[in-house]
Amino acid sequence: MPGYLVFPGGAFDPDDARAAASLQLDETAMALLSVHCSRRRAKALAWAAIRETWEETGLLVGRSLDGGTGESPQITDDITQAFSNSGLTPDLGALTYIARAITPTFSPIRFDTRFFAADGNAAFGAARDSNELSDIRWRSIPEVFRDGAIAMVTKFALNQAVRHRTCPRHLQTRSVPTMFHRCRRAILRDVGA
């Protein structure tokens, strides 16, 4: 989406399930994700979010090892090496599952996307541009809505992130808003566990 502000993200990789096998996902996120997929795939989707964030922004979502061993992905690749070199361990538990968006089967561009949010304190490293994203930097919510060209799906996910951040009671609910794109308009609904 050239010229638009977007979240980092991308396709699920078959190695994501193996990489995430030994990592722990927050139980609320696990319960919400596993409504529509296996527990193994739920962890893999969260790992894919961490991997794509690192690939596209240079930021690692994790926590400090502080002399301990921590959890490690089951495979060794560039991202696991980046965690190791930084003295960090990946933290799937830092992710909150906030939204899902699905395009119709007849759409020329198909996606079934899960959106995750994490506190900025769980992001380590220096943000950098990549071959997929440019002008990578932290932005305030008002700045994004005021100055940014954002797609409807990005605005939807950002509003859900704000909702989670400002309404802690909402975190106790057992549903995740889902955006279904149909016939050039979006339909929003809560899909519960």
Side-chain angles (χ1 to χ4, degrees), residues 13-191:
D13 184 317
D15 283 341
D16 291 335
R18 202 173 55 158
S22 66
L23 302 176
Q24 296 303 311
L25 183 59
D26 172 79
E27 280 305 312
T28 300
M30 176 63 82
L32 293 168
L33 283 162
S34 60
V35 168
H36 299 288
C37 66
S38 70
R39 293 175 66 84
R40 176 181 161 103
R41 184 163 175 89
K43 288 187 352 180
L45 291 168
W47 172 255
I50 288 175
R51 178 183 51 75
E52 288 285 350
T53 297
W54 175 74
E55 289 174 0
E56 295 183 4
T57 70
L59 297 173
L60 293 166
V61 177
R63 63 181 185 277
S64 176
L65 287 173
D66 290 330
T69 57
E71 302 165 333
S72 328
Q74 291 296 306
I75 61 173
T76 303
D77 56 9
D78 291 344
I79 187 172
T80 55
Q81 192 61 50
F83 272 107
S84 178
N85 291 347
S86 299
L88 301 169
T89 188
D91 190 3
L92 298 186
L95 299 179
T96 301
Y97 177 41
I98 60 167
R100 184 177 184 191
I102 304 169
T103 56
T105 55
F106 61 82
S107 175
I109 300 173
R110 294 280 299 139
F111 61 82
D112 181 353
T113 305
R114 278 77 168 189
F115 291 89
F116 296 89
D119 188 295
N121 291 321
F124 295 87
R128 57 154 171 75
D129 291 357
S130 66
N131 61 351
E132 294 185 49
L133 298 177
S134 61
D135 193 21
I136 304 296
R137 61 186 168 90
W138 294 101
R139 291 173 167 83
S140 69
I141 301 296
E143 176 188 2
V144 171
F145 282 118
R146 182 187 64 241
D147 301 335
I150 54 178
M152 183 171 48
V153 69
T154 305
K155 187 180 289 187
F156 164 70
L158 189 56
N159 279 324
Q160 295 312 310
V162 169
R163 181 178 173 197
H164 275 269
R165 184 75 172 171
T166 58
C167 302
R169 284 178 288 139
H170 175 70
L171 295 174
Q172 303 305 315
T173 67
R174 304 307 287 172
S175 66
V176 170
T178 301
M179 174 183 274
F180 293 89
H181 291 272
R182 294 202 177 108
C183 302
R184 296 185 177 211
R185 74 182 165 190
I187 300 167
L188 301 178
R189 94 175 169 203
D190 274 349
V191 178

